[in-house]
Amino acid sequence: MSTESQTINTLLEESRTYEPSAEFRSQANLNDPLIYATAAEDPVAFWEEQAKQLSWTQPWSQVLDDSGAPFFRWFVGGKLNACYNCVDRHVEAGLGEKPAIICETEPGDHRIYTYSETLVEVSKIANALKALGVKKGDRVCVYMPMTAELCFTMLACARIGAAHNVVFGGFSPDSIAERVNDAEVKVIVTADGGWRRGKVIELKRMVDEAIELGCPTIEKVLVYERLGDATQYNKGTWYEGRDVSWSDLVENQPDSCPCEEMESEDLLFILYTSGSTGKPKGIMHTTGGYLTGVNATSRWVFDLKPDDIYWCTADCGWVTGHSYIVYGPMSNAATVLVYEGSPDFPDKDRFWRVIEKHRATILYTAPTAIRTFMKWGTQYPEQCDLSSLRLLGSVGEPINPEAWVWYHKYIGRKNCPIVDTWWQTETGGIMISPLPGLTTTKPGSATRPLPGISAAILSEEGHALTTISGSIDKPEEPIGGILALTKPWPSMLRGIWGDPERYVNTYWSRFDGLYFPGDGVKLDEDGFLFLLGRVDDIMLVAGHNISTMEVESALVDHPAVAEAAVIGKTHEIKGQGICAFVTIKSDVQVTESTIDELKAHVGIKIGPIARPDDIILTAELPKTRSGKIMRRLLRDIAEGRELGDTTTLGDPNVVAALRDKYEADGA
Ligand code: ATP
Ligand code: MG
């Protein structure tokens, strides 16, 4: 294997490693390394075993049907209901009094729903949806604040066999209309409003505006009175015949509702991707395979135990909320903490206060949040009691090693394993992650594929540089390339809604017969996998392929830097030059030499080739609504191009301000 065929040159070296403690290992759900080999020997049989953890009303006749590849089918002929698996069966097993959801509102009150209460709430909503004409096979758009009712509504859809299409409660009317029309939604469930940073977010008004733009398939809008009359909030227009009040309809429904028996391959939901790389795709997930995947991976990766208080800070508008707030943890009868608001309300210690208040034991959050906490400073977590925490997780972007170490030290107090989980909306569940009782971790590395998952690192031309399943052999030298998944897995997407051709083209055409996630990856000398960001983001500098993640991590390694986004920019001599947008920590004073110091730091850390040509200091970086850095917009700014799709942008002002600054700096 020659280095020339590498698609990515590997630069950053990380040598710090962390072993699971003997104490954690001995109690862990998975602590026998043999599981990797067993799964690799016969992945289909292995996944069949996992599916048996669910309650099926009819067993499958075939585990995997690959005759129509890449349109795979799992547990063919099997029947089950996802809501039954997440709620009813726990009540039937005597766990009715166990808290299912602890809902902390932004204003600071909270409510606990047991599994029995959840069953009643979900059944009433299911009956209400039926009363509005929703039938098995229909699509329901859910546009709600991050409350227990949002989770209940998703489960209610699953209960009656309608597919939910959750749209994040921060999206604009255009984005709602686009998703509603694409998915041909019949009913929208929304709320009068929600809280964000002390302000009301007017959800119902957004829905009104979306429908005014033209949503011909919408018949009814169900409005949950989240704010009610408690505020001066103006409810806007009420459309008689279309709008229906939750307190009138839902509260008066019977509190039981039968579960629809679903085929394993019946659609469970459609969810649009975050839009980091372009126009969002309507990803389809079906019932049996998806639930099998998220049920197993929740138990393995989060080591869920009966008395855990599990907190995933994502919103149900993203796949993380689907898989690791609702379907994964709840199918395991976990107690799930749900928080409605922002991390800095009323102050920047809110997350730590929530953990202290509810004695959370597991925290699953995103690198963007961790880097923000680093920017704010350690005084916030330090003044709270975080001793209940026993496991930490990260998802959504590569986590820079320094952010990982900070998370470990200040949040985990050096005694919580960290699971850096790589996956996508498309994969449904976690694919690459440590197992907390088994895996030695390295900051910035998602380590290795989970049992039952097979991967490969390919060159640009599609040659396998190495394959990985079961065990990883340490390579003689680091291998950088493109990630591919080489075998189907149960929670894989079943397609893009309404566009089978785009499904085949996007994921299955780059490499024959292999799934192409679009991410770069490196296997280091010790056999650790590092996800390096999007293949599209990789820079070609003087003949070297350099990943943005490695240069960003070198910048974040400097004590003054909170966050960095790196892009390649046309350069006369080098082909591409490196341009970095950098956010400095709150308590650091910027001086005239700061930029030169940062450039030099990257040069020392990973080599002169990666030294940035330009560094632009900025208070904020452009991010998606889910908090991911949008490098493609930075590229547009740097190349002086018109901006691409900006509908999934968190705060459009950030890009406008950056463009002005970039032009003013004359970079
Ligand atoms: P779009 O597909 O619309 O461009 P998106 O890819 O950001 O948006 P998601 O499905 O939410 O939408 O994100 C999946 C992507 O997030 C992965 O392909 C990967 O690039 C990144 N990612 C997620 N988790 C990790 C992780 N632990 N380490 C590195 N990257 C990660
Ligand atoms: Mg993607």
Side-chain angles (χ1 to χ4, degrees), residues 158-175:
R159 193 170 190 87
I160 62 172
H164 48 74
N165 171 10
V166 183
V167 176
F168 173 59
F171 273 133
S172 65
D174 296 274
S175 304

Side-chain angles (χ1 to χ4, degrees), residues 425-498:
T425 310
E426 294 90 336
T427 66
I430 299 170
M431 305 297 281
I432 303 180
S433 166
L435 292 172
L438 275 174
T439 315
T440 300
T441 52
K442 234 188 205 193
S445 168
T447 71
R448 61 197 302 192
L450 287 179
I453 303 300
S454 306
I457 303 180
L458 304 185
S459 69
E460 191 85 44
E461 305 79 35
H463 302 305
L465 302 172
T466 185
T467 57
I468 307 145
S469 77
S471 65
I472 295 188
D473 295 327
K474 292 181 189 174
E476 272 163 33
E477 49 191 282
I479 301 171
I482 302 173
L483 178 68
L485 302 173
T486 54
K487 292 210 169 92
W489 64 100
S491 66
M492 65 198 304
L493 76 163
R494 298 303 194 265
I496 297 177
W497 177 262

Side-chain angles (χ1 to χ4, degrees), residues 640-658:
R641 284 193 299 251
E642 200 167 312
L643 299 178
D645 188 297
T646 53
T647 54
T648 56
L649 199 57
D651 179 359
N653 298 322
V654 172
V655 186
L658 254 179

Side-chain angles (χ1 to χ4, degrees), residues 273 277 281 424 426 507 517 534:
T273 55
T277 56
K281 304 170 276 279
Q424 310 180 292
E426 294 90 336
Y507 307 107
R534 314 314 168 105

Side-chain angles (χ1 to χ4, degrees), residues 507-520:
Y507 307 107
W508 300 96
S509 302
R510 172 97 193 229
F511 304 120
D512 197 27
L514 306 180
Y515 175 84
F516 168 62
D519 286 351

Side-chain angles (χ1 to χ4, degrees), residues 510-565:
R510 172 97 193 229
F511 304 120
D512 197 27
L514 306 180
Y515 175 84
F516 168 62
D519 286 351
V521 66
K522 159 179 111 177
L523 182 68
D524 81 359
E525 276 153 322
D526 298 326
F528 286 82
L529 282 177
F530 286 77
L531 278 303
L532 299 175
R534 314 314 168 105
V535 173
D536 311 344
D537 287 339
I538 291 165
M539 303 173 290
L540 185 60
V541 182
H544 293 266
N545 286 299
I546 300 180
S547 87
T548 53
M549 187 269 190
E550 294 196 309
V551 182
E552 287 161 7
S553 291
L555 284 163
V556 174
D557 181 74
H558 189 281
V561 175
E563 203 160 28

